[in-house]
């Protein structure tokens, strides 16, 4: 009744800027508006796949377009053939292969850290670090809009918990003062916040951490691979790589898009996690094909930053055109571009109409994924979107927004 029920669409093609979905024809009636892109027929067979390449996908975390990159796919096939489908075990029993160790070394080198440890996902990495590191004598200070996996990981530990207002440095400083009575203080924040597309003020956070003798932890899932001059993330972007102690991130977004996560940081911490982190100790090793994908993606990133630079230009194109059309776009200079609508039902209906009428695949976000009253359609830009793709998306938003009263 509130319009917050979530459904899943079935994709029948590779991940990429253009997709095909199950249950739709490819423009069976062949009708278009004045030769333009918007499909006006609402017959079931004519839902939304009227474009020759399928629908245009704007809701993936495929920031660099590497999910279907031929070299990434080839690396996965080679790893599958050489190392098999999987190890049928956790690593400390019989599950470490050379490619796992090689990838961990490559991740640490990419982030310029001492060591790294692989997990099945970054959700697991976040579930595993706080309990292993913090005791009842310690304190963790968390941004109120941190990702659900950080929140769940913090809940699992016995440390004293402080929550500061979103990116509010005065509130963080007040909480740090209050937490001085504890043995160890850890400030935990997303580097880039996935729902709003905003970037944590890491310079200020690190200054406060130094002032109050705290450690800094960042989740870089929506930053690794494309933020910063070499794609190393928000700490590189903001010039504080030497001041952030711990980084958790994912292999399942910009770095190939398959699965997997990791923690990278000081070697003693990584050694501790191998002994004490429950998601690591009790989960199977990453499948070799996934390791092959991620390893090749890192190779491509360390060879050139051209892909990341292309994505930045396309992000600016979308944000500027949508703002000019009259929409409010949250965040700043990030390929996560939330189109703020406020009403859950409006976000859901507009997203559905974007697909059915314009062939634009976007998703409405509402409670509990975002706070009540903060519903939005989250658009995500990829380096493999063309300028035409972006312009078609803006045109569709403008028409559907006017139809539903989101624009005058």
């Amino acid at each position: 009744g509130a319009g917050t029920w979530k459904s899943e669409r079935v994709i029948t093609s590779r991940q990429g800027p253009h997709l095909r979905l199950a249950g739709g024809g490819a423009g069976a009636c062949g009708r278009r508006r004045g030769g333009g892109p918007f499909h006006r027929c609402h017959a079931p067979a004519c839902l939304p796949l009227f474009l020759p390449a399928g629908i245009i996908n704007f809701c993936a975390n495929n920031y660099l377009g590497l999910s279907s990159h031929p070299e990434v796919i080839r690396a996965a096939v080679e790893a599958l053939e050489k190392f098999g489908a999987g190890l049928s075990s956790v690593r400390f029993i019989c599950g470490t292969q050379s490619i796992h160790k090689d990838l961990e070394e490559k991740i640490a080198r990419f982030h310029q850290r001492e060591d790294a440890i692989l997990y099945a996902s970054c959700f697991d990495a976040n579930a595993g670090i706080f309990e292993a590191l913090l005791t009842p004598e310690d304190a963790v200070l968390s941004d109120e809009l941190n990702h659900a996996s950080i929140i769940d990981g913090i809940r699992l530990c016995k440390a004293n918990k402080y929550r500061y207002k979103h990116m509010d440095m005065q509130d963080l400083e007040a909480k740090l003062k209050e937490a001085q009575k504890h043995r160890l203080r850890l400030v935990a924040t997303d580097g880039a916040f996935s729902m709003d597309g905003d970037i944590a003020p890491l310079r200020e956070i690190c200054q406060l951490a130094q002032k109050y003798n705290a450690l800094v932890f960042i989740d870089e899932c929506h930053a690794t691979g494309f933020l910063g001059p070499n794609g190393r993330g928000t700490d590189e972007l903001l010039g504080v790589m030497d001041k952030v102690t711990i980084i958790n991130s994912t292999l399942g977004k910009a770095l190939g898009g398959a699965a997997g996560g990791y923690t990278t940081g000081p070697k003693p911490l990584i050694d501790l996690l191998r002994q004490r982190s429950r998601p690591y100790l009790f989960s199977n090793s990453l499948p070799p094909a996934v390791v092959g994908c991620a390893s090749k993606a890192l190779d491509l990133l360390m060879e050139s930053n051209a892909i990341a630079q292309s994505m930045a230009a396309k992000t600016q194109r979308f944000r500027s055109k949508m703002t000019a059309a009259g929409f409010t776009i949250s965040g700043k200079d990030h390929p996560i571009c939330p189109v703020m609508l406020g009403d859950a039902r409006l976000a859901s209906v507009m997203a559905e109409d974007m697909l059915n009428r314009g062939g634009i695949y976007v998703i409405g976000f509402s409670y509990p994924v975002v706070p009540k009253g903060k519903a939005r359609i989250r658009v995500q830009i990829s380096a493999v979107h063309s300028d035409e793709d972006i312009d078609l998306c803006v045109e569709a938003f403008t028409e559907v927004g006017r139809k539903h009263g989101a624009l005058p």
Side-chain angles (χ1 to χ4, degrees):
T4 59
W5 183 267
K6 294 158 188 62
S7 58
E8 296 179 5
R9 296 190 174 101
V10 178
I11 298 171
T12 61
S13 62
R14 292 180 180 182
Q15 180 63 275
H18 301 98
L19 297 176
R20 293 197 175 274
L21 298 182
C29 72
R31 287 164 53 189
R32 298 185 188 181
R33 175 183 62 125
F38 293 101
H39 191 210
R40 292 298 190 180
C41 178
H42 294 283
C46 293
L47 293 177
L49 304 186
F50 57 88
L51 294 175
I55 66 168
I56 308 176
N57 179 22
F58 280 96
C59 56
N61 298 313
N62 186 25
Y63 297 113
L64 300 178
L66 298 181
S67 295
S68 299
H69 193 287
E71 290 187 49
V72 173
I73 293 172
R74 192 178 307 117
V77 172
E78 291 173 357
L80 183 66
E81 290 177 342
K82 183 174 181 180
F83 292 99
L87 287 160
S88 307
S89 179
V90 301
R91 284 178 65 168
F92 84 94
I93 297 175
C94 65
T96 297
Q97 290 176 316
S98 57
I99 52 171
H100 294 89
K101 300 302 293 182
D102 291 345
L103 179 56
E104 287 171 337
E105 186 277 330
K106 192 175 292 185
I107 288 168
R109 181 157 39 92
F110 177 72
H111 285 285
Q112 298 181 0
R113 296 308 197 273
E114 292 180 359
D115 202 357
I117 180 173
L118 291 172
Y119 288 88
S121 68
C122 190
F123 206 111
D124 278 350
N126 286 341
I129 188 166
F130 300 103
E131 185 182 27
L133 179 63
L134 303 174
T135 73
E137 299 177 35
D138 304 318
V140 57
L141 303 95
S142 174
D143 188 293
E144 65 179 348
L145 293 189
N146 275 340
H147 190 268
S149 58
I150 298 176
I151 294 168
D152 285 359
I154 290 172
R155 284 172 176 164
L156 291 171
C157 78
K158 293 182 172 62
N160 299 273
K161 301 168 181 66
Y162 297 81
R163 185 174 68 171
Y164 64 92
K165 295 174 185 177
H166 181 49
M167 301 200 306
D168 186 326
M169 295 300 96
Q170 287 186 335
D171 194 39
L172 174 57
E173 182 165 21
K175 298 293 194 303
L176 280 166
K177 288 178 181 176
E178 189 179 347
Q180 287 301 292
K181 58 192 174 187
H182 303 298
R183 184 192 66 145
L184 175 70
R185 290 155 296 284
L186 177 69
V187 179
T189 181
D190 280 341
F193 290 85
S194 61
M195 290 299 111
D196 293 290
D198 46 9
I199 296 171
L202 282 183
R203 289 195 193 100
E204 293 81 358
I205 288 173
C206 290
Q207 287 169 1
L208 287 173
Q210 185 173 12
K211 180 177 179 180
Y212 293 99
N213 194 25
L215 305 177
V216 177
F217 161 97
I218 56 174
D219 179 310
E220 289 284 79
C221 287
H222 293 275
T224 297
F226 55 92
L227 288 188
N230 301 291
R232 292 188 171 94
T234 54
D235 61 337
E236 182 187 50
L237 176 71
L238 298 174
V240 291
M241 290 186 70
D242 59 335
K243 295 179 174 60
V244 172
T245 311
I246 307 164
I247 293 173
N248 277 10
S249 194
T250 184
L251 307 173
K253 292 183 171 58
L255 301 184
Y262 58 85
T263 298
T264 185
K267 190 176 188 310
L269 169 66
I270 303 304
D271 290 342
L272 175 67
L273 293 176
R274 292 193 195 281
Q275 301 299 316
R276 297 286 301 278
S277 181
R278 290 167 67 84
Y280 176 82
L281 289 169
F282 297 103
S283 296
N284 272 17
S285 305
L286 274 178
V290 172
V291 176
C293 280
S295 185
K296 176 53 68 173
L298 281 170
D299 288 342
L300 293 171
L301 282 178
M302 288 190 278
E303 288 170 7
S304 170
N305 66 353
I307 301 175
Q309 296 303 314
S310 168
M311 187 209 63
K314 289 167 184 174
T315 296
Q316 179 57 34
R317 183 184 188 93
F318 178 80
R319 283 181 169 271
S320 62
K321 282 179 173 284
M322 285 291 285
T323 301
F327 288 100
T328 298
I329 311 299
S330 181
K332 182 182 178 182
D333 301 332
H334 194 284
I336 293 173
C337 303
V339 182
M340 304 304 293
L341 299 169
D343 181 77
R345 186 173 295 280
L346 175 62
S348 176
V349 170
M350 277 187 60
E352 192 69 26
D353 226 14
M354 292 277 289
L355 181 64
N356 292 343
R357 298 168 69 86
I360 305 296
Y361 187 14
V362 290
I363 295 294
F365 283 64
S366 57
Y367 181 83
V369 180
V370 296
K372 290 181 179 179
K374 298 284 188 179
R376 80 280 309 265
I377 294 175
R378 188 181 73 174
V379 176
Q380 291 173 271
I381 306 300
S382 172
V384 288
H385 283 130
S386 67
D387 288 347
E388 182 184 11
D389 291 338
I390 291 168
D391 293 348
L392 285 171
C393 184
V394 174
E395 185 181 345
F397 260 111
T398 303
E399 178 174 316
V400 173
R402 285 176 181 153
K403 174 191 171 186
H404 293 286
L407 288 179

